[in-house]
Amino acid sequence: MKKINRFKCQSVALSMILATGLCYVAQVKADVSDCIPWERQYDELFLVGKEDRVITVRHRGDFTTTVPENSLAAFRLSYDKCRAAIETDVRILNDGSLVVFHDVNIGKMLVPGYNAIDNTPSNPLLKTMSLEELQKLKLVNIAGKVTDQSVPTVKEMLEDYLKYGGRSLIYLEVKDPAAILKTAKVVTDLSKKDNSILKRVIIKFNMAEFPTPNLWIAGLQSVGADERIMANPVISPGAMKKIDQLPRIPEIPNRGFSDNTSRAVAWWALSDIQRCPTIEVVIKDSSGFDKVMLKTSKQGGYYAPTEVSIGNTYSGITTTMARLVAIVKEYKKPLGVFVPVPDYILWSNGVIMGTTVPSLFTKKQFDINAAFYHNTSECCYALTDRFAPGETDDYRENVAWQQSLKVNIITADDTDSIDTYFEEEGLLDTFAIPHPTKPSPKMHSKLSWDLGFVEKPKEQFVRIKVWKGENASEDKWGKGYPICLWDNPHSDSYAWIYTCETDAANKAIEAGYSRDLVTRVVQNDTWSKEYGDLIQITSPRIEIVDGKEKNVLWCLNGRLDYEKKSMSWVKECDPANKNTLFIRTDSVSYGSIASSTMHEVPIYLAGATFGWKEYNGLLYSRVTASYLGDVGKWGEWKIDPSPVDEVEE
């Protein structure tokens, strides 16, 4: 594909080009003053739709393992990285205060020790809180540590942006309808001190709340907000349903759109670019385009429209998302989309592969790599869980499919991978984003793995710890250190638990045992129908076979040896062997289906509370099953990454 090369003179603003003819050249430094000026970013919004180039918007700021999402620290990091734009979410509290916060509940971000799988210890609704109550709490980062960051109000966020000298444009996605015009009023009040805010902040809202630009202007006037505030209406299937039930929207001159939503989108697409620089469309697939072709990509196959035009879309009393995309493109308005990136493992310092989480919708287990937090803070859902009736595909993760729609403004948690992809395709707006950066391996972005920008780990070594990873409380077990599940490649091959990190553990390693194991997600034709994705607990080894080194895989066998009352290690690791299959039933419990029939409860992996023996001065026990007795915390496990798998930048 031919790379766009628009090296015409563009200075701080288009007007300055005419006046001076000077060009601005950006340098990459850790100083926001060296970023592209906000005026330049503003100008680029007017060109990307016409030239079909791409600008990305960083969702929730540049949060990391230690920097919490939607915090002033995350936004400042975005400014430092010269992001073209960032997007954050606005919600309203019970006292009318407007805050920057993503979820409707606070557990994930504000409750120390919150367990998203079990939804414990507490997870209050955000809207039930006052600002005073909320700002007494500190944001918790992905590493689970309480930070010095508080939830900012919209005013505080924008004041900090101006004070810090941020040059990114700001998209404020207002989640609560009652907060839309209130947010516009906050921007208006700030503009009295710095008028530039009117060209730097864009308010994003459900199009059903203001189906036409005239209604938006009337809304702004009703609260005394500045009419110049920029709007980014979002049209989704839900919004379409609401708009089609509203009184008839006026016709577009010389256009025969038969439905309300098409007319609404067209009016916004026709509006002044300074008033509405972007329309975002929530579209999941190409159904609704008349003619499509099957294409392949690094992210899998997809159907792409042969042409993004109104003539290539279905028409009727109700419209399709494909037609709405075509209307936006017809009028060369920048088309916005959201690219979802599984965020349960994003920047995690915990386990990032080889295990499962429960679906909030189906209750079945699925691969952690596909997991998204729900906006209730709970874990988790997969994109397939959110299919509406009749939906069979969701291509939104596939950037090649997004490219086939000729999208322009892409919001995502991993904009680095998207920037890199579109730069390679010659479609990135390199005036707005002159120095795209490669995604960090520490981000653990599925998108970066799928596109090949970061090599996906083949496996992750883990340590499986009893007592939910807590340290032993008595000297006989190695006080002050956790107790781990160990493999056993020796003749009897029983599974056992023993100290993880003491000198005695080192002696066990010297004797040929290992506590560094690998879990992997597998499917079984019979049992996955009942439980979803399943887990195998394995120990990869190099053994001498016929005088030669050979890779050998051992698996934990959940079928009890009733004489020894213990589980064992075997080499028959085919997922068809149900004896090696485990299901995660909550955050700490792992059940073996080895002795189950389809509707029986699995037997749970447990450290024994009997039969203790001494090895290298400390006690060990065989691994058994929970039904043999009240095992308590001996049946509660935590899987932690092994230190051998620490990721380097």
Side-chain angles (χ1 to χ4, degrees), residues 504-538:
N506 294 331
K507 291 178 181 179
I509 294 170
E510 292 172 1
Y513 301 101
S514 179
R515 74 228 151 149
D516 294 314
L517 308 175
V518 172
T519 55
R520 64 180 188 175
V521 176
V522 297
Q523 291 188 331
N524 175 285
D525 291 342
T526 300
W527 299 96
S528 289
K529 294 176 183 177
E530 180 79 3
Y531 299 120
D533 288 342
L534 300 162
I535 297 170
Q536 286 184 318
I537 300 172
T538 76

Short mmCIF file of all heavy atoms in Angstrom, two decimals, residues 504-538:
data_model
loop_
_atom_site.label_atom_id
_atom_site.label_comp_id
_atom_site.label_asym_id
_atom_site.label_seq_id
_atom_site.Cartn_x
_atom_site.Cartn_y
_atom_site.Cartn_z
N ALA A 504 15.59 -25.75 52.35
CA ALA A 504 15.07 -27.10 52.12
C ALA A 504 14.48 -27.22 50.71
O ALA A 504 14.59 -28.27 50.06
CB ALA A 504 14.00 -27.43 53.17
N ALA A 505 13.87 -26.14 50.23
CA ALA A 505 13.34 -26.15 48.87
C ALA A 505 14.46 -26.28 47.85
O ALA A 505 14.34 -27.00 46.85
CB ALA A 505 12.53 -24.87 48.62
N ASN A 506 15.57 -25.61 48.10
CA ASN A 506 16.71 -25.71 47.19
C ASN A 506 17.25 -27.13 47.15
O ASN A 506 17.67 -27.63 46.09
CB ASN A 506 17.81 -24.74 47.62
CG ASN A 506 17.39 -23.29 47.47
OD1 ASN A 506 16.56 -22.96 46.62
ND2 ASN A 506 17.93 -22.41 48.30
N LYS A 507 17.23 -27.82 48.28
CA LYS A 507 17.69 -29.20 48.30
C LYS A 507 16.75 -30.11 47.52
O LYS A 507 17.17 -31.06 46.87
CB LYS A 507 17.81 -29.68 49.75
CG LYS A 507 18.95 -29.00 50.52
CD LYS A 507 18.99 -29.46 51.96
CE LYS A 507 20.13 -28.75 52.71
NZ LYS A 507 20.17 -29.17 54.16
N ALA A 508 15.45 -29.80 47.57
CA ALA A 508 14.48 -30.57 46.79
C ALA A 508 14.72 -30.40 45.29
O ALA A 508 14.61 -31.35 44.51
CB ALA A 508 13.06 -30.15 47.16
N ILE A 509 15.09 -29.17 44.91
CA ILE A 509 15.40 -28.92 43.50
C ILE A 509 16.63 -29.71 43.09
O ILE A 509 16.67 -30.32 42.00
CB ILE A 509 15.61 -27.41 43.26
CG1 ILE A 509 14.30 -26.66 43.48
CG2 ILE A 509 16.14 -27.15 41.85
CD1 ILE A 509 14.44 -25.16 43.51
N GLU A 510 17.64 -29.73 43.95
CA GLU A 510 18.85 -30.51 43.67
C GLU A 510 18.55 -31.99 43.52
O GLU A 510 19.21 -32.71 42.78
CB GLU A 510 19.87 -30.29 44.78
CG GLU A 510 20.45 -28.87 44.82
CD GLU A 510 21.31 -28.62 46.05
OE1 GLU A 510 21.47 -29.57 46.85
OE2 GLU A 510 21.80 -27.49 46.21
N ALA A 511 17.49 -32.44 44.20
CA ALA A 511 17.10 -33.84 44.12
C ALA A 511 16.26 -34.16 42.90
O ALA A 511 15.86 -35.30 42.70
CB ALA A 511 16.35 -34.24 45.39
N GLY A 512 15.96 -33.13 42.09
CA GLY A 512 15.25 -33.37 40.83
C GLY A 512 13.79 -32.99 40.82
O GLY A 512 13.09 -33.24 39.84
N TYR A 513 13.30 -32.38 41.89
CA TYR A 513 11.91 -31.94 41.94
C TYR A 513 11.82 -30.48 41.47
O TYR A 513 12.81 -29.74 41.47
CB TYR A 513 11.35 -32.04 43.36
CG TYR A 513 11.40 -33.43 43.94
CD1 TYR A 513 12.41 -33.80 44.84
CD2 TYR A 513 10.44 -34.37 43.61
CE1 TYR A 513 12.44 -35.08 45.39
CE2 TYR A 513 10.47 -35.66 44.15
CZ TYR A 513 11.48 -36.01 45.04
OH TYR A 513 11.51 -37.27 45.57
N SER A 514 10.60 -30.07 41.11
CA SER A 514 10.42 -28.68 40.67
C SER A 514 9.11 -28.12 41.21
O SER A 514 8.08 -28.79 41.23
CB SER A 514 10.41 -28.58 39.14
OG SER A 514 10.21 -27.24 38.74
N ARG A 515 9.17 -26.84 41.66
CA ARG A 515 7.96 -26.12 42.07
C ARG A 515 7.51 -25.16 40.98
O ARG A 515 6.48 -24.50 41.10
CB ARG A 515 8.24 -25.34 43.35
CG ARG A 515 9.10 -24.10 43.10
CD ARG A 515 10.25 -23.99 44.05
NE ARG A 515 11.36 -23.29 43.42
CZ ARG A 515 12.22 -22.54 44.08
NH1 ARG A 515 12.11 -22.38 45.37
NH2 ARG A 515 13.22 -21.97 43.46
N ASP A 516 8.33 -25.01 39.92
CA ASP A 516 7.99 -24.11 38.81
C ASP A 516 7.24 -24.91 37.75
O ASP A 516 7.82 -25.68 36.99
CB ASP A 516 9.26 -23.48 38.24
CG ASP A 516 9.93 -22.55 39.24
OD1 ASP A 516 9.20 -21.75 39.85
OD2 ASP A 516 11.15 -22.65 39.42
N LEU A 517 5.93 -24.70 37.73
CA LEU A 517 5.03 -25.49 36.90
C LEU A 517 4.44 -24.61 35.80
O LEU A 517 4.66 -23.40 35.76
CB LEU A 517 3.92 -26.09 37.77
CG LEU A 517 4.40 -26.87 39.00
CD1 LEU A 517 3.20 -27.30 39.85
CD2 LEU A 517 5.25 -28.06 38.60
N VAL A 518 3.69 -25.21 34.91
CA VAL A 518 3.02 -24.48 33.83
C VAL A 518 1.57 -24.93 33.78
O VAL A 518 1.28 -26.13 33.67
CB VAL A 518 3.69 -24.75 32.47
CG1 VAL A 518 2.86 -24.12 31.34
CG2 VAL A 518 5.11 -24.18 32.45
N THR A 519 0.65 -23.98 33.89
CA THR A 519 -0.75 -24.29 33.66
C THR A 519 -1.09 -23.94 32.22
O THR A 519 -0.49 -23.02 31.64
CB THR A 519 -1.67 -23.50 34.61
OG1 THR A 519 -1.39 -22.10 34.48
CG2 THR A 519 -1.44 -23.93 36.05
N ARG A 520 -2.01 -24.66 31.64
CA ARG A 520 -2.41 -24.34 30.27
C ARG A 520 -3.91 -24.54 30.10
O ARG A 520 -4.52 -25.38 30.76
CB ARG A 520 -1.62 -25.17 29.26
CG ARG A 520 -1.84 -26.67 29.31
CD ARG A 520 -0.99 -27.37 28.25
NE ARG A 520 -1.31 -28.79 28.12
CZ ARG A 520 -0.78 -29.60 27.22
NH1 ARG A 520 0.12 -29.13 26.35
NH2 ARG A 520 -1.14 -30.87 27.16
N VAL A 521 -4.49 -23.72 29.25
CA VAL A 521 -5.92 -23.76 28.98
C VAL A 521 -6.17 -24.71 27.81
O VAL A 521 -5.53 -24.61 26.76
CB VAL A 521 -6.47 -22.35 28.64
CG1 VAL A 521 -7.94 -22.42 28.27
CG2 VAL A 521 -6.26 -21.42 29.83
N VAL A 522 -7.09 -25.65 28.02
CA VAL A 522 -7.39 -26.65 26.99
C VAL A 522 -8.91 -26.80 26.87
O VAL A 522 -9.67 -26.33 27.72
CB VAL A 522 -6.76 -28.02 27.32
CG1 VAL A 522 -5.25 -27.92 27.35
CG2 VAL A 522 -7.29 -28.56 28.64
N GLN A 523 -9.31 -27.49 25.82
CA GLN A 523 -10.71 -27.81 25.63
C GLN A 523 -10.86 -29.31 25.44
O GLN A 523 -9.97 -29.97 24.89
CB GLN A 523 -11.30 -27.06 24.44
CG GLN A 523 -11.43 -25.56 24.67
CD GLN A 523 -12.19 -24.86 23.57
OE1 GLN A 523 -12.18 -25.30 22.43
NE2 GLN A 523 -12.85 -23.76 23.91
N ASN A 524 -11.98 -29.81 25.89
CA ASN A 524 -12.31 -31.22 25.76
C ASN A 524 -13.70 -31.32 25.14
O ASN A 524 -14.62 -30.63 25.60
CB ASN A 524 -12.26 -31.89 27.13
CG ASN A 524 -12.71 -33.34 27.11
OD1 ASN A 524 -13.90 -33.61 27.01
ND2 ASN A 524 -11.75 -34.25 27.23
N ASP A 525 -13.85 -32.13 24.10
CA ASP A 525 -15.11 -32.17 23.35
C ASP A 525 -16.32 -32.43 24.24
O ASP A 525 -17.40 -31.90 24.00
CB ASP A 525 -15.03 -33.25 22.26
CG ASP A 525 -14.07 -32.88 21.14
OD1 ASP A 525 -13.74 -31.69 21.04
OD2 ASP A 525 -13.65 -33.79 20.39
N THR A 526 -16.13 -33.21 25.29
CA THR A 526 -17.26 -33.55 26.17
C THR A 526 -17.41 -32.56 27.31
O THR A 526 -18.47 -31.97 27.52
CB THR A 526 -17.07 -34.96 26.76
OG1 THR A 526 -17.02 -35.90 25.69
CG2 THR A 526 -18.22 -35.31 27.70
N TRP A 527 -16.34 -32.32 28.04
CA TRP A 527 -16.42 -31.58 29.29
C TRP A 527 -16.47 -30.07 29.11
O TRP A 527 -17.00 -29.36 29.97
CB TRP A 527 -15.27 -31.99 30.20
CG TRP A 527 -15.36 -33.46 30.49
CD1 TRP A 527 -14.71 -34.47 29.86
CD2 TRP A 527 -16.21 -34.08 31.44
NE1 TRP A 527 -15.07 -35.69 30.35
CE2 TRP A 527 -16.01 -35.48 31.34
CE3 TRP A 527 -17.13 -33.61 32.38
CZ2 TRP A 527 -16.69 -36.40 32.14
CZ3 TRP A 527 -17.79 -34.52 33.18
CH2 TRP A 527 -17.58 -35.89 33.05
N SER A 528 -15.97 -29.55 28.01
CA SER A 528 -16.04 -28.11 27.79
C SER A 528 -17.46 -27.64 27.55
O SER A 528 -17.80 -26.48 27.80
CB SER A 528 -15.13 -27.71 26.62
OG SER A 528 -13.78 -27.83 26.97
N LYS A 529 -18.33 -28.53 27.08
CA LYS A 529 -19.73 -28.16 26.90
C LYS A 529 -20.38 -27.83 28.24
O LYS A 529 -21.27 -26.99 28.33
CB LYS A 529 -20.50 -29.30 26.22
CG LYS A 529 -20.04 -29.58 24.79
CD LYS A 529 -20.76 -30.79 24.21
CE LYS A 529 -20.24 -31.10 22.81
NZ LYS A 529 -20.89 -32.32 22.25
N GLU A 530 -19.93 -28.52 29.28
CA GLU A 530 -20.48 -28.31 30.61
C GLU A 530 -19.80 -27.17 31.35
O GLU A 530 -20.46 -26.34 31.99
CB GLU A 530 -20.34 -29.60 31.43
CG GLU A 530 -20.87 -29.53 32.84
CD GLU A 530 -22.38 -29.65 32.93
OE1 GLU A 530 -23.03 -29.85 31.88
OE2 GLU A 530 -22.91 -29.52 34.04
N TYR A 531 -18.48 -27.12 31.25
CA TYR A 531 -17.71 -26.21 32.10
C TYR A 531 -17.05 -25.05 31.37
O TYR A 531 -16.60 -24.09 32.00
CB TYR A 531 -16.62 -26.99 32.84
CG TYR A 531 -17.13 -28.07 33.75
CD1 TYR A 531 -16.78 -29.40 33.56
CD2 TYR A 531 -17.97 -27.77 34.82
CE1 TYR A 531 -17.24 -30.40 34.41
CE2 TYR A 531 -18.44 -28.75 35.67
CZ TYR A 531 -18.07 -30.08 35.46
OH TYR A 531 -18.54 -31.05 36.29
N GLY A 532 -16.92 -25.12 30.05
CA GLY A 532 -16.16 -24.12 29.31
C GLY A 532 -14.71 -24.55 29.18
O GLY A 532 -14.41 -25.75 29.09
N ASP A 533 -13.81 -23.59 29.16
CA ASP A 533 -12.38 -23.93 29.05
C ASP A 533 -11.90 -24.60 30.33
O ASP A 533 -12.34 -24.27 31.44
CB ASP A 533 -11.56 -22.66 28.79
CG ASP A 533 -11.76 -22.14 27.37
OD1 ASP A 533 -12.24 -22.89 26.51
OD2 ASP A 533 -11.43 -20.95 27.13
N LEU A 534 -10.95 -25.51 30.16
CA LEU A 534 -10.43 -26.30 31.28
C LEU A 534 -8.94 -26.05 31.44
O LEU A 534 -8.30 -25.45 30.57
CB LEU A 534 -10.70 -27.79 31.03
CG LEU A 534 -12.19 -28.14 30.88
CD1 LEU A 534 -12.37 -29.48 30.20
CD2 LEU A 534 -12.88 -28.13 32.23
N ILE A 535 -8.39 -26.50 32.56
CA ILE A 535 -6.99 -26.24 32.89
C ILE A 535 -6.25 -27.55 33.09
O ILE A 535 -6.78 -28.49 33.69
CB ILE A 535 -6.89 -25.40 34.19
CG1 ILE A 535 -7.54 -24.02 34.00
CG2 ILE A 535 -5.43 -25.23 34.62
CD1 ILE A 535 -7.68 -23.24 35.30
N GLN A 536 -5.04 -27.61 32.57
CA GLN A 536 -4.11 -28.68 32.92
C GLN A 536 -2.97 -28.07 33.72
O GLN A 536 -2.49 -26.97 33.40
CB GLN A 536 -3.56 -29.38 31.68
CG GLN A 536 -4.55 -30.30 30.99
CD GLN A 536 -3.93 -31.04 29.82
OE1 GLN A 536 -3.16 -30.47 29.04
NE2 GLN A 536 -4.26 -32.32 29.67
N ILE A 537 -2.52 -28.80 34.73
CA ILE A 537 -1.36 -28.38 35.54
C ILE A 537 -0.21 -29.27 35.11
O ILE A 537 -0.26 -30.50 35.29
CB ILE A 537 -1.66 -28.52 37.04
CG1 ILE A 537 -2.86 -27.65 37.42
CG2 ILE A 537 -0.42 -28.14 37.86
CD1 ILE A 537 -3.35 -27.87 38.85
N THR A 538 0.82 -28.68 34.53
CA THR A 538 1.87 -29.47 33.90
C THR A 538 3.26 -29.12 34.44
O THR A 538 3.45 -28.07 35.06
CB THR A 538 1.88 -29.26 32.37
OG1 THR A 538 2.47 -27.99 32.07
CG2 THR A 538 0.48 -29.33 31.79
#
